[in-house]
Amino acid sequence: MDTHNPLNTVALRYQAIYLDISRDDIDMTSGITAPVTAFIARLAENGFGVTEELLHALNAVPVGTLVDITRHISDVMGVNLNWAPLVKGWNVPTGETRFDHLVTLMANLLKNHMDISGTTLPCGHLIPQGTFPIERYNGCPFCGTPFATTNWVYQGQSSKLRLLRLFTAADLERAYRALLESATPLDATQLESVGQLLQVLPLPSDVVINMKETLMLVVHHLVEQGRDTEAGTLLRTPTDVLRYLWYEKTGKVQIIEPRTLTHHARKLYSHMWAPLDRGADAAQAMRHQLRLKYDRRMCRRIAQWLTALPMSAEQAAEMMNPKRGMWVRMIHALRLGEYSRRQGFEPLARLLDVFYRHDYSTWQGRVDHARRSNAPDTVLSLLQQRPGTFSRCLFATMLHYGASRTLKTFDAVSDRLPARLLLSLCNNAQEYFAPTSGRWARPIIGGFRAIEPNQLLQLYSASDCQRMILGVMDIFRQSMARRFAAQPTKGGTIYIDPALNDIPVAVGDRSTTIQDTSCALQGTRFKVEGDNVRLFMQWGKGLHAQHLDMDLSCAIALRESLHLPGAQGRRLNRESTSRQTLFCAFNNLVCVGAKHSGDIRSIPEMVGTAEYIELSLPELEQAGASYVTFTCNAYSHGAISPNLVVGWMSAEHPMQISEETGVAYDPSCVQHMVRISKGNLSKGLVFGVLDVARREIVWLEIPFDGQTLGGLDTDSVTAYLKRLRDKVTVGELLALKAEAQSLKPAKSADLADESYTLEWALDPAQVTRLLAL
């Protein structure tokens, strides 16, 4: 088995190990062999255990398979990377100050003109005597260049193991189908899993692909195999064809306008220090990348697909109208005019003729005309023709034409909508109909944007708004009840794990990071196991030595002002009084309840480097901290480095920090970790929030535009947490199912005909099957 076998990678995300074995061939009475015993010990060092079934199945596989699986898990957990930070034994502060940096700067500017005593480091910087205690550093404390690396980490400090189960070919096939048939858009982890499985497993002939983004991966895979005709049958509209073209051009499964990508590239590569500003160059490079140039094979392929579209030319032209500018350029670049004059491409000729002559009317144009004419009956009648569009403008229509009238019209077509759209309406109603607070939107290119409340809300009272919210929720619940009632059941009892009541259904908040050891849904809560939480960040794997400055930071929100003694206390008192938030970051290594391992600004050759932050819950509680927000940022120009890994560790007993190297990573203590995908477009990322009072960490993902932690809008984090709390949870959705199907609750999973446990919820594709109605 290859260490990089995609089947291993996908199985581990489901907290399983893939073995090419049938469950019928497992001898559950077999004795444990010596190689399996050693293998289990290696797994425990990385924080994993195995179920009894997997334990006996391992006895039947070759020893080489065990070695390959061990290497694979070690690679995923980063065991062989460099985890040495800048400071040795960084739990004891070095005492460095801004004054040390200022003195060192002046010394390096004047060293050629004055005789200054100190130590010259390999990077060329002179560290004057009496400034930094250089014996405490693994690199240069002034420029953040590391000189020393390590090839070891702590292992086995945590007594709590995550159990891995057996994944057979049948299990992979079920997971594969669940991803392809998902009723909601896939997140980055799921999309990567689909792409990997497509390389090694055949595409099921009877699979129904519901999501357009997933469809693009499948079409790309079929085209690579030369199955153009088969791929064309999956594309039903011109928008599907345009989405494929844009996916091949940009690697994005969503259609993002060229000007948007260019503007974002300029913003992403801008820098607060002018000499490092590459914004103009990045914008020019993006414009060059987006130039439309296609070979004859691609031109003919698209011409054939458009010719075979199962709709009239007028219908197709109407669908092309919203992206008319892009289509005009695509038609020219693909030489579609030339192909339309060839025999066999008559439908394409008709389409282009209708498109260029504007010999079609648009449904949206008729709706806009009816609105300008103040004809609500016509507007609502037209909206009923397209329930999907109706759902997207439902809230504004309620304010324009009255909630009761609009909801009655919408209810008549609600059962024709995908359940995920109804759920999105239910989740967003409370935020939309809040007359005093704005909304937060998450653009397709990342970050969060504040949106002012609809001005018409000022015409309605608080009770009117509340009735609107309840009306939307009522439609969702009634429609879902009808759908669940129409589904067959497996029996008369159901078990719903109480933990599912804290996990929101993943609709509308897709993750763009990769989870290599889990598939947790955003909003999942992790209990802190001890008195400390250790944040970690590792970046630079597989890259040559270079300047690449990534920053790990946290923001500590206080309930009240601090009153701490001493000079540092007086400074923190002033800060806390003025903003009620403290920062632990590259420019403030020691903070109340937090210690930073030092700011690294360059990476060593191929093995990367690391930063840590240690949080002490007793100190945070004593200081009156309420929340701690975990962030990482790209201080260097560009987005966060691909394959950068961030997460946190927690253990019942104190975790060690090396006094010799500063290494503080232990894979067995990792509670959650995510990897930045190659298509990442964000400058900063919030990856978790610690609720100090509840001693829980909420995993979430909030991209934001900011070269430093200072670019984070804490209001957006608060709004996002509120949105997660207001969302319909998995437990609530299952309770609705139980009520609609008259299922009685069971006391345990073993006693239920239908069992929904926390382990079941680790597969988001299985969770979203509840919405495939």
Side-chain angles (χ1 to χ4, degrees):
M1 182 181 293
D2 184 6
T3 304
H4 302 288
N5 189 332
L7 303 182
N8 288 334
T9 302
V10 174
L12 190 58
R13 290 171 181 164
Y14 291 91
Q15 297 195 349
I17 290 178
Y18 171 75
L19 297 178
D20 187 11
I21 190 173
S22 171
R23 282 189 165 84
D24 296 334
D25 297 332
I26 300 175
D27 181 5
M28 296 300 293
T29 63
S30 61
I32 309 305
T33 65
V36 171
T37 301
F39 173 76
I40 298 300
R42 300 290 79 73
L43 283 183
E45 291 175 348
N46 288 309
F48 295 105
V50 298
T51 61
E52 184 178 1
E53 180 187 43
L54 177 57
L55 179 64
H56 290 285
L58 290 168
N59 286 323
V61 300
V63 174
T65 299
L66 301 179
V67 173
D68 289 335
I69 295 174
T70 302
R71 289 174 178 169
H72 176 74
I73 292 179
S74 295
D75 183 58
V76 167
M77 300 304 296
V79 171
N80 299 317
L81 298 177
N82 170 44
W83 286 93
L86 185 64
V87 178
K88 306 173 183 178
W90 50 270
N91 55 315
V92 178
T94 61
E96 68 174 69
T97 64
R98 291 186 176 91
F99 182 73
D100 293 327
H101 285 270
L102 178 61
V103 171
T104 304
L105 173 63
M106 297 303 298
N108 282 273
L109 292 175
L110 301 174
K111 65 181 180 180
N112 295 328
H113 308 284
M114 298 177 59
D115 184 17
I116 302 175
S117 61
T119 303
T120 300
L121 299 179
C123 60
H125 287 126
L126 171 66
I127 307 299
Q129 287 184 359
T131 56
F132 299 99
I134 58 175
E135 70 279 357
R136 294 284 311 281
Y137 292 87
N138 289 314
C140 177
F142 181 65
C143 70
T145 300
F147 305 140
T149 61
T150 65
N151 58 1
W152 67 275
V153 296
Y154 290 105
Q155 291 184 303
Q157 293 182 93
S158 175
S159 58
K160 187 175 181 179
L161 300 179
R162 291 168 285 175
L163 288 182
L164 299 178
R165 56 196 175 95
L166 172 65
F167 236 44
T168 65
D171 296 320
L172 269 176
E173 178 69 22
R174 281 193 294 270
Y176 186 30
R177 280 182 168 274
L179 290 171
L180 291 173
E181 296 176 344
S182 174
T184 60
L186 302 182
D187 61 23
T189 303
Q190 295 169 316
L191 284 172
E192 186 176 273
S193 295
V194 169
Q196 291 174 328
L197 291 175
L198 281 169
Q199 302 301 318
V200 294
L201 296 179
L203 181 68
S205 58
D206 59 339
V207 72
V208 178
I209 302 174
N210 298 305
M211 293 294 104
K212 299 298 185 183
E213 293 91 341
T214 309
L215 185 64
M216 292 306 104
L217 294 180
V218 175
V219 170
H220 174 78
H221 172 69
L222 293 175
V223 169
E224 280 192 332
Q225 293 183 337
R227 299 155 65 182
D228 291 7
T229 303
E230 185 178 349
T233 61
L234 299 176
L235 303 175
R236 312 296 294 174
T237 68
T239 305
D240 293 342
V241 177
L242 182 61
R243 190 186 300 276
Y244 166 76
L245 286 167
W246 214 233
Y247 172 71
E248 294 294 337
K249 174 62 66 174
T250 66
K252 311 298 179 192
V253 292
Q254 297 91 4
I255 301 175
I256 307 177
E257 293 278 355
R259 62 177 177 272
T260 302
L261 289 172
T262 302
H263 173 75
H264 185 69
R266 180 186 299 275
K267 187 175 183 179
L268 198 62
Y269 281 83
S270 62
H271 200 281
M272 60 178 64
W273 191 37
L276 294 180
D277 193 328
R278 300 289 183 270
D281 295 338
Q284 181 61 33
M286 179 58 69
R287 282 192 288 267
H288 180 76
Q289 177 187 341
L290 296 178
R291 290 176 58 189
L292 300 180
K293 189 175 182 180
Y294 298 103
D295 58 26
R296 284 286 179 176
R297 183 177 178 182
M298 175 65 86
C299 295
R300 185 175 184 83
R301 178 186 302 138
I302 301 303
Q304 290 174 334
W305 287 352
L306 291 174
T307 299
L309 288 177
M311 60 179 59
S312 67
E314 289 76 15
Q315 290 173 321
E318 181 183 356
M319 290 186 177
M320 295 164 66
N321 190 69
K323 299 291 183 183
R324 186 176 182 87
M326 292 183 70
W327 270 114
V328 169
R329 291 188 288 272
M330 285 291 184
I331 290 170
H332 176 73
L334 291 163
R335 304 180 180 88
L336 296 183
E338 174 187 333
Y339 280 92
S340 69
R341 294 188 288 272
R342 298 185 182 183
Q343 186 176 1
F345 290 91
E346 289 79 9
L348 175 61
R350 170 66 179 159
L351 170 60
L352 296 184
D353 186 56
V354 170
F355 178 72
Y356 277 114
R357 290 176 179 272
H358 287 272
D359 288 343
Y360 58 91
S361 62
T362 65
W363 174 87
Q364 186 62 52
R366 296 194 295 273
V367 172
D368 292 341
H369 176 73
R371 282 178 173 154
R372 289 192 298 269
S373 303
N374 196 25
D377 291 337
T378 305
V379 171
L380 294 176
S381 177
L382 287 169
L383 288 174
Q384 277 190 317
Q385 297 175 12
R386 299 191 177 180
T389 305
F390 196 174
S391 70
R392 292 178 178 89
C393 65
L394 175 64
F395 298 159
T397 306
M398 289 168 63
L399 295 178
H400 274 89
Y401 303 124
S404 177
R405 182 182 193 177
T406 303
L407 288 175
K408 183 178 179 181
T409 307
F410 180 74
D411 192 29
V413 296
S414 61
D415 287 352
R416 292 164 51 190
L417 283 166
R420 61 183 174 85
L421 287 184
L422 290 177
L423 180 59
S424 294
L425 290 173
C426 185
N427 287 335
N428 294 322
Q430 190 163 344
E431 184 182 32
Y432 186 93
F433 291 109
T436 57
S437 61
R439 294 174 288 140
W440 291 87
R442 183 173 177 175
I444 197 171
I445 57 173
F448 268 75
R449 298 291 183 273
I451 301 177
E452 292 296 323
N454 192 314
Q455 293 183 0
L456 291 179
L457 285 170
Q458 299 175 15
L459 302 178
Y460 295 88
S461 66
S463 58
D464 291 334
C465 293
Q466 188 61 31
R467 280 194 292 272
M468 292 182 191
I469 295 171
L470 294 177
V472 174
M473 292 182 174
D474 224 25
I475 288 180
F476 164 72
R477 294 184 182 279
Q478 291 177 12
S479 180
M480 292 303 299
R482 291 192 293 268
R483 298 175 195 222
F484 281 132
Q487 297 296 309
T489 60
K490 298 179 181 179
T493 59
I494 185 173
Y495 173 76
I496 304 174
D497 193 320
L500 301 183
N501 291 319
D502 292 328
I503 301 179
V505 181
V507 172
D509 293 312
R510 279 180 286 174
S511 171
T512 59
T513 57
I514 307 295
Q515 300 179 60
D516 286 318
T517 60
S518 65
C519 293
L521 297 171
Q522 283 200 62
T524 300
R525 295 176 175 270
F526 296 83
K527 283 287 186 184
V528 177
E529 297 176 7
D531 285 337
N532 296 88
V533 172
R534 184 172 298 167
L535 312 184
F536 62 85
M537 178 177 72
Q538 213 282 351
W539 77 101
K541 173 186 176 181
L543 299 178
H544 293 294
Q546 59 183 287
H547 172 78
L548 189 62
D549 190 358
M550 303 290 124
D551 292 320
L552 179 67
S553 312
C554 71
I556 303 171
L558 306 173
R559 288 191 295 270
E560 56 188 16
S561 301
L562 296 179
H563 299 285
L564 302 176
Q568 183 187 18
R570 287 192 293 273
R571 177 177 62 83
L572 294 176
N573 292 336
R574 290 194 299 271
E575 292 179 358
S576 67
T577 301
S578 62
R579 64 190 181 196
Q580 293 293 299
T581 303
L582 300 177
F583 297 131
C584 182
F586 67 93
N587 57 354
N588 189 37
L589 301 182
V590 180
C591 182
V592 175
K595 297 175 183 176
H596 196 291
S597 64
D599 181 30
I600 293 181
R601 281 159 272 176
S602 298
I603 58 173
E605 183 76 8
M606 305 305 285
V607 295
T609 190
E611 289 184 7
Y612 305 90
I613 292 178
E614 183 90 350
L615 300 174
S616 171
L617 269 69
E619 291 182 30
L620 291 170
E621 290 169 344
Q622 185 178 6
S626 53
Y627 293 99
V628 182
T629 303
F630 313 156
T631 71
C632 63
N633 295 78
Y635 187 84
S636 298
H637 55 71
I640 300 175
S641 176
N643 292 325
L644 176 146
V645 173
V646 289
W648 64 84
M649 295 180 284
S650 175
E652 183 179 358
H653 303 290
M655 298 171 284
Q656 296 185 49
I657 298 175
S658 173
E659 295 182 3
E660 298 295 326
T661 63
V663 169
Y665 179 70
D666 185 337
S668 71
C669 297
V670 173
Q671 273 196 322
H672 193 61
M673 61 188 294
V674 295
R675 174 168 52 87
I676 302 300
S677 60
K678 292 182 179 179
N680 169 64
L681 293 175
S682 63
K683 193 76 173 173
L685 178 73
V686 174
F687 60 93
V689 174
L690 167 65
D691 186 329
V692 178
R694 298 181 61 175
R695 291 198 166 209
E696 288 181 341
I697 298 174
V698 182
W699 175 65
L700 46 76
E701 181 182 308
I702 306 179
F704 67 95
D705 300 324
Q707 197 171 329
T708 66
L709 177 60
L712 174 65
D713 186 341
T714 54
D715 289 340
S716 67
V717 179
T718 303
Y720 195 83
L721 285 171
K722 183 180 183 302
R723 177 188 292 182
L724 287 175
R725 287 194 301 268
D726 292 341
K727 276 179 174 288
V728 175
T729 66
V730 177
E732 290 172 342
L733 193 60
L734 287 170
L736 186 60
K737 167 184 166 68
E739 181 181 355
Q741 297 178 343
S742 301
L743 299 175
K744 296 181 179 179
K747 294 182 179 180
S748 66
D750 298 335
L751 301 176
D753 297 314
E754 294 187 31
S755 177
Y756 299 94
T757 62
L758 187 58
E759 182 184 76
W760 166 83
L762 292 176
D763 182 357
Q766 292 291 344
V767 176
T768 56
R769 280 183 179 272
L770 294 172
L771 302 175
L773 303 172

